[in-house]
Amino acid sequence: MESGNHLEWAEELPPNCPPDSAYPPQYDIFYRLVNEYPPEEKDFFSHKKLFPRKRFNTDECRARSISIFNQLDNCILLLKLPAHKHKKVIQLILPPESGVVLQTGQKAHFSWWRRRHYNPLADYKEVNDKLKGE
Amino acid sequence: MKKTIHHKRTLFYYDGPQLFLAHDQSCTQYLCLLVENAEEFDRFLCVPVSEVRLREFYEGRIDLRKIYAEPERKELYYTDIIDSFEGEIHLFPMQYEDLREEWLPEAGFDWDSSEMKDDAMIQEAIIDSEK
């Protein structure tokens, strides 16, 4: 795996990142929170990129990934938390060229290291109230 | 009175820790919830929780809002994490009356419905509560 190659990945990654155990998704469905519809590019920035002056409570490689869920319910539950109450849910069907993913933390949580040339803004769906079953 | 706690386990992670469990020197456990994502720090609201209440949470019998809105000891703290979770985390007391609605989770965030549960963690919590 061409780790640390900033020409390949959306963000500059440390050595040995993404981990070898991360794998390309096969059009798997994932969900993520965004600030507004339509989402903006920064909705797909890692927290390390968004808050470069902050020191993170995780390893550098994970801090350079973004979180996605493979269960819609998990993403909707996050909307109940203070830091996410006003956000929106989007669905992504990630093709192999979108990067690599790895299940980390909670069962439905995945870290996603995005490839530089994959544009999620061209490939997302809004998850509206009807889809949420409300 | 200022207190210090140590991070024990991150319970929910999404682009960073959202909810973590910590303990102080006298083994009192605290649930700390991310309430503000600022430019240079993350602010967490921390509440002491008994083993019984923690177990109720893990078993989905009490939701997160109740843990913060109706704390067992009417004791609340906040902390601004500017560094890492390694080492001491300083807690600052806040008056229960000063608790803002926007810092509270909405009703319905319970561990059981989250499907985020980690079987090993639940077992550990049950063992802890039976000690």
Side-chain angles (χ1 to χ4, degrees):
Chain A
M1 190 172 287
E2 297 168 85
S3 298
N5 183 344
H6 68 279
L7 296 176
E8 182 181 5
W9 302 102
E11 299 184 23
E12 192 166 352
L13 302 180
N16 303 314
C17 182
D20 288 341
S21 48
Y23 57 90
Q26 301 296 320
Y27 301 97
D28 302 313
I29 297 175
F30 292 99
Y31 301 91
R32 177 164 170 81
L33 298 183
V34 296
N35 286 309
E36 289 294 342
Y37 292 146
E40 297 177 347
E41 193 180 0
K42 68 179 182 183
D43 286 310
F44 300 94
F45 289 171
S46 72
H47 267 210
K48 182 72 180 178
K49 187 167 181 174
L50 286 173
F51 305 109
R53 285 184 292 179
K54 237 185 229 181
R55 293 180 66 180
F56 289 86
N57 304 299
T58 187
D59 66 81
E60 178 78 9
C61 184
R62 195 177 184 193
R64 291 279 185 183
S65 71
I66 64 171
S67 290
I68 49 179
F69 286 106
N70 69 353
Q71 301 284 333
L72 175 59
D73 288 352
N74 286 249
C75 223
I76 291 171
L77 269 172
L78 270 173
L79 297 174
K80 296 181 183 295
L81 298 184
H84 303 290
K85 279 180 184 176
H86 307 295
K87 293 186 179 178
K88 311 286 184 191
V89 182
I90 60 161
Q91 182 193 73
L92 294 159
I93 300 175
L94 295 183
E97 63 270 22
S98 64
V100 293
V101 298
L102 183 66
Q103 189 275 322
T104 53
Q106 308 94 252
K107 282 181 179 175
H109 177 274
F110 287 72
S111 296
W112 176 27
W113 291 271
R114 183 166 58 93
R115 287 198 190 275
R116 188 183 183 88
H117 294 297
Y118 177 71
N119 177 16
L121 296 176
D123 214 12
Y124 75 93
K125 284 183 188 169
E126 295 177 9
V127 178
N128 57 32
D129 290 348
K130 191 176 172 185
L131 188 53
K132 284 192 277 182
E134 290 180 1
Chain B
M1 189 180 73
K2 206 160 81 173
K3 290 194 175 194
T4 56
I5 56 172
H6 289 85
H7 175 271
K8 185 175 179 185
R9 180 190 282 270
T10 296
L11 301 180
F12 296 106
Y13 185 97
Y14 180 82
D15 286 346
Q18 303 294 312
L19 180 69
F20 70 87
L21 183 65
H23 61 87
D24 66 15
Q25 283 183 320
S26 58
C27 294
T28 299
Q29 301 201 85
Y30 295 78
L31 272 179
C32 296
L33 176 67
L34 178 69
V35 291
E36 280 184 32
N37 241 171
E39 196 68 31
E40 292 182 348
F41 62 86
D42 289 331
R43 177 163 292 175
F44 287 84
L45 179 64
C46 297
V47 62
V49 283
S50 68
E51 289 289 356
V52 171
R53 187 162 258 211
L54 197 56
R55 185 172 180 169
E56 285 176 340
F57 177 59
Y58 285 147
E59 291 177 351
R61 290 188 284 122
I62 184 170
D63 91 356
L64 197 57
R65 183 181 174 89
K66 190 169 181 183
I67 289 175
Y68 286 92
E70 300 171 30
E72 292 165 296
R73 290 157 40 174
K74 295 279 180 199
E75 217 176 289
L76 287 171
Y77 302 87
Y78 74 90
T79 182
D80 292 336
I81 308 270
I82 55 173
D83 206 329
S84 75
F85 282 156
E86 289 170 21
E88 292 183 338
I89 298 169
H90 298 285
L91 293 184
F92 300 91
M94 61 177 287
Q95 295 298 315
Y96 176 72
E97 295 71 28
D98 294 337
L99 181 60
R100 294 142 56 177
E101 174 60 33
E102 67 250 40
W103 280 13
L104 285 172
E106 291 179 7
F109 191 102
D110 61 79
W111 184 270
D112 199 46
S113 66
S114 74
E115 295 177 16
M116 292 177 174
K117 54 195 172 190
D118 173 326
D119 294 338
M121 180 166 49
I122 292 170
Q123 283 307 313
E124 179 187 298
I126 289 171
I127 290 166
D128 278 351
S129 69
E130 288 174 348
K131 279 178 187 170

